[in-house]
Amino acid sequence: MRCSHEGKASIVTGAAGGLGREVGLAIARAGGEVFLVDRNPEGLAQTQALIGEAGGRAHVHVADLSDPDACRRAVEAGRAAMGGIDSLCNVAGVIFFAHATEMSAEQWHKTLAINLSAPFFLCQAAIPHLIERKGAIVNVASSAAFVGQAYVAAYAASKAGLAHLTRSLAMEYVRAPIRINAVAPGGMATPMGATVSMPEGIDMTLVERFSGMRGFVEVPDVADMICYLASDAAQGFHGAVINMDAGITAG
Ligand SMILES: NC(=O)c1ccc[n+]([C@@H]2O[C@H](COP(=O)([O-])OP(=O)(O)OC[C@H]3O[C@@H](n4cnc5c(N)ncnc54)[C@H](O)[C@@H]3O)[C@@H](O)[C@H]2O)c1
């Protein structure tokens, strides 16, 4: 995909592994300096080392993004470390499978805090800096934003909220020099899937409905799309939520 981040600075959340790591790598390979944020210091150090081996430049910042103040501090630290911000990629996310009647208040609030509120508070802090540099925001939603999914009510609600947050911010800033978009991937083979635990008594045929008929979407392909949307090459995109789910939401 045609895309350069030469001379640009990006904040990438969820960068300790999975998709966030690939996004950090993709932007660094495209010439960008990256500020990697996650709650997992070991994973962050590994991503930083991989970027260093690839000849890129990465900073790391450990933060629990479920805390709004930590979101604001992360943006300020990124701006200070890189001298400005050209893009913010909100990749961090969590998922819990549970019967709706058994989902704990803690699981519900944590899902909303990390998947929806954190991107909002990060955007809120970053928008003035991004406007200064004609920059971009890319949020990571999910196919769960578009089709109801059994046993992940909090996750699906958070991702639908994130898709609409993306569109609403895009409208609010439609006259400002900033682009705000989202990617909505289908299932990807990342640590998220490997660590998820299924509750007893679930109907697997309902889960299969949102697993898709073509299998996983490749993580580097999704990372390339995010890297492109975060770059100046994607001038035509604003307020888009791009389905990248190998057909899950097609019908
Ligand atoms: N894996 C999939 O099938 C899939 C499908 C669609 C969308 N997504 C979305 O893609 C994004 C990346 O997911 P992934 O598959 O790479 O998962 P992952 O679990 O591999 O990575 C998520 C990262 O977010 C970090 N994180 C979680 N809570 C945090 C917090 N409170 N503060 C800071 N960092 C935190 C984790 O430490 C981890 O490094 C998520 O937003 C996820 O919802 C994933």
Side-chain angles (χ1 to χ4, degrees):
M1 204 172 282
R2 181 176 58 93
C3 136
S4 167
H5 282 263
E6 212 61 59
K8 306 279 187 180
S10 300
I11 295 179
V12 181
T13 74
L19 179 60
R21 170 173 291 169
E22 286 300 323
V23 171
L25 272 162
I27 291 175
R29 287 192 192 110
E33 185 176 355
V34 286
F35 188 82
L36 310 169
V37 183
D38 204 288
R39 65 180 169 188
N40 170 355
E42 294 82 21
L44 277 178
Q46 286 166 8
T47 307
Q48 186 181 35
L50 288 168
I51 288 173
E53 282 163 26
R57 183 151 180 236
H59 312 262
V60 296
H61 181 84
V62 179
D64 179 352
L65 297 173
S66 61
D67 172 4
D69 286 335
C71 294
R72 295 182 197 111
R73 283 196 299 270
V75 169
E76 195 39 49
R79 192 204 57 75
M82 302 188 291
I85 314 165
D86 296 285
S87 63
L88 165 67
C89 301
N90 285 315
V91 186
V94 290
I95 191 169
F96 300 103
F97 275 73
H99 296 277
T101 50
E102 287 166 15
M103 179 171 289
S104 67
E106 191 197 348
Q107 286 174 323
W108 174 269
H109 290 306
K110 193 171 169 187
T111 307
L112 272 288
I114 297 165
N115 295 5
L116 179 57
S117 303
F120 174 73
F121 290 117
L122 288 156
C123 288
Q124 192 181 53
I127 281 170
H129 305 303
L130 292 168
I131 288 175
E132 233 170 68
R133 306 256 293 234
K134 297 186 171 61
I137 292 169
V138 186
N139 292 322
V140 176
S142 161
S143 51
F146 296 98
V147 289
Q149 298 191 348
Y151 312 117
V152 289
Y155 181 77
S158 72
K159 293 299 187 177
L162 183 58
H164 222 52
L165 173 68
T166 303
R167 297 186 191 101
S168 297
L169 291 178
M171 283 314 299
E172 185 165 339
Y173 291 94
V174 72
R175 298 193 198 284
I178 183 171
R179 292 177 310 95
I180 304 171
N181 296 291
V183 175
M188 299 177 285
T190 65
M192 177 175 270
T195 53
V196 89
S197 71
M198 295 282 181
E200 276 185 25
I202 64 170
D203 178 346
M204 278 312 287
T205 62
L206 296 182
V207 175
E208 281 156 19
R209 283 175 65 95
F210 57 84
S211 302
M213 297 170 76
R214 290 194 170 192
F216 286 133
V217 181
E218 296 296 330
V219 177
D221 291 350
V222 179
D224 279 352
M225 175 59 82
I226 294 167
C227 179
Y228 169 73
L229 287 173
S231 79
D232 289 346
Q235 285 304 320
F237 290 89
H238 184 57
V241 183
I242 298 175
N243 292 320
M244 205 167 168
D245 60 17
I248 290 175
T249 53

